[in-house]
Amino acid sequence: MSKILLILHVLAAVIAVGPVTVAASMFPAAARKAFAEPGSGLSVPRALNRICRVYAIFGIAVPFFGLATAGSMRVFGDAWVIVSIVLTAAAAGVLASLVLPGQNAILAALEAEPPSAPVTAGRVAMYTGMFNLLWAVVTVLMIVRPGSTTGA
């Protein structure tokens, strides 16, 4: 059962978190282009924001399967699991409280007549970098598993 849960956990991470990291990373540049070229349209920033919002919801499966996997492998008390849980919660918090609201603010500014200045594009890029860095650290912890007794 552990192997099935682990497969589901990894698939959920790749399928749900991957698109969010890519779309969120592309959003600031698309927003800057939309501000710089007012006739270029909002379709790309809107699509990237929608990808982030939709896949963030599917991303809930990642910690769900991760917790189930940790329980089946009896590694809940291991430091790498605890740190991964904390960093995953931090990444979710950054996405929900900084990245997505920042993207929404930029879209609102782009839809205003006339479009307001791209004040938050740099901040959204920074928040996205924080989100991506947190996930990168979690990924490394999942692979390396410091102190793990699984032999891998």
Side-chain angles (χ1 to χ4, degrees):
M1 187 63 163
S2 294
K3 288 183 181 183
I4 292 170
L5 289 171
L6 182 59
I7 289 168
L8 292 173
H9 174 58
V10 171
L11 282 174
V14 170
I15 293 169
V17 178
V20 174
T21 59
V22 172
S25 296
M26 293 173 63
F27 183 89
R32 286 185 189 107
K33 181 179 180 183
F35 276 113
E37 302 169 17
S40 65
L42 299 174
S43 60
V44 173
R46 280 188 186 139
L48 293 171
N49 175 255
R50 184 179 176 109
I51 290 168
C52 290
R53 287 184 290 117
V54 170
Y55 281 91
I57 294 168
F58 290 125
I60 294 169
V62 176
F64 173 79
F65 288 123
L67 292 171
T69 303
S72 73
M73 293 175 67
R74 293 175 173 72
V75 293
F76 261 122
D78 290 5
W80 65 273
V81 174
I82 295 167
V83 171
S84 294
I85 291 169
V86 170
L87 293 178
T88 298
V94 168
L95 181 65
S97 65
L98 300 172
V99 175
L100 294 176
Q103 289 180 353
N104 293 336
I106 289 173
L107 288 174
L110 283 167
E111 292 168 350
E113 287 296 329
S116 35
V119 179
T120 58
R123 285 184 187 248
V124 171
M126 178 184 68
Y127 298 147
T128 300
M130 291 167 43
F131 172 76
N132 292 345
L133 179 62
L134 288 166
W135 273 115
V137 172
V138 170
T139 302
V140 169
L141 286 172
M142 292 290 121
I143 295 168
V144 175
R145 300 180 304 210
S148 173
T149 57
T150 61

